[in-house]
Amino acid sequence: QVQLVESGGGLVQAGASLGLSCAAFGNIFSIKVMGWYRHAPGNQRELAATITSGGSTNYADSVKGGFTISRDNAKNTVYLQMNSLKPEETAVYYCSMGVRTLVGMSSILYNYWGQGTQVTVSS
């Protein structure tokens, strides 16, 4: 079993910066892709950014230039630095990780989600 624990959300004013972190705990053999998604009221959950185990990053067009994703493989942790936040970026932010776990003589790859952390940007 693997658990993702998020931290760092909160209430900030427009233009401020905020950092999120998400750490994975449990039966972890390796973690392939780590990512951040967000779910704003009235919208579908959308991708914000992803990062591979090799460090390659991918960003949604809406966050390019403002958000930076990074990871610490030794700590099984992914980070999201958000700068120049806008009110329309108010959402619940979720981390996601593709985790490979060992089961006997084989392994299983499964996508896990964090519990979500609220980010509110006031105007």
Side-chain angles (χ1 to χ4, degrees):
Q1 189 69 17
V2 175
Q3 184 179 15
L4 305 188
V5 178
E6 300 181 30
S7 61
L11 171 64
V12 296
Q13 290 189 329
S17 298
L18 196 63
L20 306 180
S21 64
C22 173
F25 300 93
N27 179 17
I28 300 168
F29 177 71
S30 63
I31 302 177
K32 295 173 65 67
V33 178
M34 297 180 174
W36 288 95
Y37 293 73
R38 61 187 181 183
H39 191 183
N43 293 342
Q44 292 185 333
R45 185 179 298 189
E46 64 175 3
L47 169 72
T50 60
I51 184 168
T52 68
S53 55
S56 297
T57 58
N58 178 57
Y59 295 93
D61 288 342
S62 58
V63 307
K64 283 180 181 176
F67 289 13
T68 302
I69 189 170
S70 60
R71 64 188 281 170
D72 185 332
N73 292 327
K75 295 181 179 179
N76 294 325
T77 299
V78 62
Y79 305 94
L80 186 68
Q81 179 64 36
M82 304 179 290
N83 297 327
S84 302
L85 282 162
K86 310 177 191 70
E88 55 265 35
E89 291 176 315
T90 293
V92 178
Y93 284 71
Y94 296 89
C95 64
S96 176
M97 298 187 189
V99 180
R100 186 170 293 278
T101 61
L102 293 178
V103 181
M105 298 296 290
S106 62
S107 66
I108 296 175
L109 179 64
Y110 188 80
N111 201 61
Y112 291 89
W113 291 88
Q115 79 278 11
T117 186
Q118 178 70 46
V119 173
T120 302
V121 185
S122 63
S123 57

